[in-house]
Structures are given as C-alpha cells and as structure tokens.
C-alpha cells in the first residue's frame, strides 16, 4: 500500500537504474568528482543494478576491465551517452562518428542496448558563453533530422544499438515546441526519445502529456525533478543551465516537479519495457552527498511500485 492508503501500482515494465550524473559526474576527469570505483561501489550499495556509462573516459574504456568491475558489483549497463552537433550538417559527420563509435563500441561490449544522444549546447555549460544562436534555421532543422536518422541507421547496423534522443536544457531540442518539431521531422522506426522529466519540466514541458501524445516515440526515461522556486528565479534572470544546477535547481524526489508517480504510471501503460535511469544534476557536489540521496531515491521509487 502507498502512504495515502491506495494500492501501489505494479510498474513491472520499468527497469530502474542510476548514472554517474547522480554522483556529480559531468566530465571524464575532474578533481571535483568522486573516483569511478567509489561511484560503482556506492551505486550498488544504494540498491541499483543498472547504470549508464556517463562521460566517455570516466569509467574504464577497456571492455574486459569494465565488465569485470561491473560483474563484481552485480551491475549492468543500460546505455552510453554522446553529444552531437548534427544541425551543423554533413561537414561534422566524420568527427561525430569518431566519438560516437567509441562510446557505442563500449556500450555494446558491456551489454547495453541503447545510446543516449544529446544535442550540443548553444551556450557553454561551464562558462555560460554563448556559442551559437539559440534558434535553428530551417536548413539546420533539416540537417538535424537527416543527420539523426543517418546516425540511427549507422549505430544500429554497426553496433545493434537503438538511439534515444534526449531533449536537454540549453540545447536546440528543449521545449515542447522544439521536441514536437524534431519528432515530427524524424522517422519513428529509427528515432526514439529519451524523456528526461527534469529537463523537460525545466524547459516548460509536461512529461505525462508528452507520453500520451508521442507514446510510441518514448524509448527511454531519465527520472529527475526541479525545484519550482529555484526554476522561477532561473527563468526570470535568464541563468544558464550550469549555474542553475549549482544554484540547486535539480532536487531529489519527491521534493520537486514533475510528480514521478503519474509519469511512471503513464509509461507503464505504454506496454513496453523501459529503462528509467535516475539522474540528479548536481555538479559539483561534496563527495559524501550522493549516496544518501541515492538510497532515499531508491526507496521512494520502490514505494511508487518501481
């Protein structure tokens, strides 16, 4: 039973995991981040069995070494992650494929079935420097759609992975409008979505409505919440995403929005198996902070039926 006395729904199509991001890891190497062995130890201690690879180079990139470390802790990999700038057209293809192939090879070698694809930032997540215009031109939207479909085919053919594109704050796929435009421009047989509940709320979107409207396109979930009061200040002042995270815009559930039970229940009703990977952006953070949060979050998700 749940805390309100109602029966807890059975979310048997949802496979919960976590990621280096929930331990404050944003970069392959950074003195402010916890060492990778500590992350693996603590994510297993918190009760998770699935993880993402995080930034390439944070975890060991030799498949045999990483597989051994995972096996000792009872962990498995759900996905790797890449950043791409496919809106810039065919000129960036070779550079894109070089980094994608490294991550995809490691993901496949460790048993993952997905590759999370995040569009490049239009402003720097460290410095907040404006890198390029916030809005894409019609030609850039075409490049983005065609490039993503090409990437999906290549990744599928070469590595047997399915790409899931991640709408993300301070990128060109962020709001409801931009997300819908991207989905409508791409082939549903090739391109699925990684719905990050926190980033979508950060950009004004409704996760439950997105699942209802584009359910067949939802291929993966990131579970995250935002503090609505901090978010209001961030929006009012035009604060970039990196500084917003340092300000505490992302919070552990159930302290923020969106409410996760309705999201999980809507995802369950799709009738497909989905990973739901917990991510709480909090770079940088004190090394003792992530584990207690991870343990509380896992207990909360169990109480939701996941």
């Amino acid at each position: 039973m749940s805390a309100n006395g109602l029966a807890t729904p059975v979310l048997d199509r949802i496979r919960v995991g976590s990621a280096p991001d929930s331990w404050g890891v944003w970069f392959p190497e950074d003195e402010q981040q916890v060492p990778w062995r500590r992350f693996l130890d603590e994510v297993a201690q918190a009760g998770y069995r699935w993880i993402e690879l995080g930034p390439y180079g944070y975890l060991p990139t030799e498949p045999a070494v990483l597989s051994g470390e995972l096996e000792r802790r009872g962990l498995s990999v759900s996905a790797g992650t890449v950043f791409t700038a496919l809106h810039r057209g065919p000129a960036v293809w070779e550079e894109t494929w070089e980094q994608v192939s490294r991550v995809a090879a490691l993901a496949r070698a460790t048993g993952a079935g997905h590759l999370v694809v995040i569009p490049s930032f239009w402003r720097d997540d460290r410095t907040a420097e404006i890198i390029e215009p916030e809005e894409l031109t019609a030609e850039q939207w075409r490049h983005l759609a065609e490039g993503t479909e090409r990437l999906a085919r290549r990744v599928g053919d070469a590595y047997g992975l399915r790409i899931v594109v991640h709408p993300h704050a301070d990128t060109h796929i962020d709001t409801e409008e931009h997300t819908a435009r991207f989905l409508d421009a791409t082939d549903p047989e090739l391109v699925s979505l990684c719905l990050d509940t926190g980033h979508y709320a950060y950009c004004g979107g409704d996760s439950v409505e997105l699942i209802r409207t584009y359910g067949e396109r939802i291929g993966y979930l990131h579970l995250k919440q935002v503090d609505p009061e901090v978010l209001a200040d961030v929006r009012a002042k035009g604060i970039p995403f990196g500084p917003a995270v340092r300000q505490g815009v992302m919070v552990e559930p159930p302290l923020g929005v969106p409410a996760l039970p309705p999201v999980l229940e809507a995802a369950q009703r799709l009738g497909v198996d989905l990973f739901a990977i917990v991510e709480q952006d909090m770079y940088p953070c004190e090394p003792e902070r992530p584990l207690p949060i991870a343990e509380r979050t896992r207990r909360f998700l169990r109480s939701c039926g996941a």
Side-chain angles (χ1 to χ4, degrees):
M1 301 289 286
S2 64
N4 60 13
L6 300 176
T8 302
V10 177
L11 304 177
D12 57 357
R13 306 305 295 264
I14 308 297
R15 290 172 286 180
V16 171
S18 192
D21 182 59
S22 292
W23 268 254
V25 175
W26 279 14
F27 306 102
E29 294 182 19
D30 190 296
E31 62 183 12
Q32 299 184 85
Q33 298 176 169
V34 299
W36 64 267
R37 287 185 178 87
R38 178 171 180 173
F39 159 67
L40 292 180
D41 288 341
E42 291 188 350
V43 75
Q45 182 180 337
Y48 295 100
R49 292 296 173 260
W50 293 95
I51 65 165
E52 290 182 354
L53 294 175
Y56 184 80
Y58 173 66
L59 295 176
T61 56
E62 172 57 46
V65 173
L66 180 55
S67 295
E69 297 286 350
L70 296 170
E71 185 176 353
R72 278 193 288 277
R73 297 168 174 87
L75 296 171
S76 299
V77 175
S78 61
T81 303
V82 296
F83 284 84
T84 61
L86 294 166
H87 67 285
R88 296 176 187 165
V92 302
W93 175 258
E94 293 304 325
E95 176 187 353
T96 300
W97 182 248
E98 181 181 359
Q99 62 112 352
V100 167
S101 61
R102 289 196 303 267
V103 178
L106 182 60
R108 185 58 181 169
T110 51
H114 297 84
L115 189 67
V116 179
V117 177
I118 303 177
S120 59
F121 291 99
W122 54 264
R123 58 182 171 187
D124 189 89
D125 58 339
R126 281 190 193 249
T127 68
E129 175 190 0
I130 302 296
I131 301 170
E132 56 189 334
E134 181 177 355
E135 293 291 333
L136 296 179
T137 65
E139 181 182 35
Q140 288 173 322
W141 274 110
R142 180 172 57 81
H143 285 320
L144 176 59
E146 292 176 354
T148 303
E149 290 177 344
R150 181 183 181 186
L151 187 68
R153 292 189 190 94
R154 185 79 179 271
V155 168
D157 291 344
Y159 299 103
L161 303 178
R162 183 160 183 87
I163 70 166
V164 285
V165 177
H166 182 325
H168 195 292
D170 285 0
T171 76
H172 296 109
I173 307 177
D174 50 3
T175 62
E176 289 183 341
E177 178 185 0
H178 288 164
T179 301
R181 181 170 182 172
F182 173 76
L183 290 174
D184 290 343
T186 50
D187 184 347
E189 295 298 318
L190 292 171
V191 181
S192 297
L193 207 68
C194 169
L195 169 57
D196 184 303
T197 60
H199 280 274
Y200 204 54
Y202 183 102
C203 298
D206 182 329
S207 290
V208 172
E209 184 61 28
L210 182 66
I211 294 171
R212 288 173 178 162
T213 306
Y214 287 99
E216 75 284 357
R217 305 298 295 275
I218 306 299
Y220 201 90
L221 299 172
H222 279 173
L223 302 182
K224 189 178 298 174
Q225 288 188 321
V226 297
D227 183 319
E229 292 185 4
V230 177
L231 180 60
D233 184 62
V234 165
R235 287 175 172 166
K237 297 177 180 176
I239 296 172
F241 180 67
V245 168
R246 292 192 288 275
Q247 193 172 318
V249 73
M250 298 296 178
V251 293
E252 65 179 278
L255 304 179
V257 297
L260 292 183
V263 175
L264 292 168
E265 290 164 26
Q268 171 75 16
R269 286 194 292 271
L270 295 176
V272 297
D273 293 332
L274 289 172
F275 282 107
I277 304 300
V278 176
E279 284 196 326
Q280 183 182 342
D281 295 319
M282 50 182 184
Y283 171 87
C285 70
E286 302 81 6
E288 304 303 323
R289 188 177 173 215
L291 177 58
I293 292 176
E295 291 175 327
R296 290 193 296 269
T297 301
R298 189 68 193 96
R299 287 196 296 271
F300 169 73
L301 292 173
R302 286 196 181 98
S303 77
C304 298

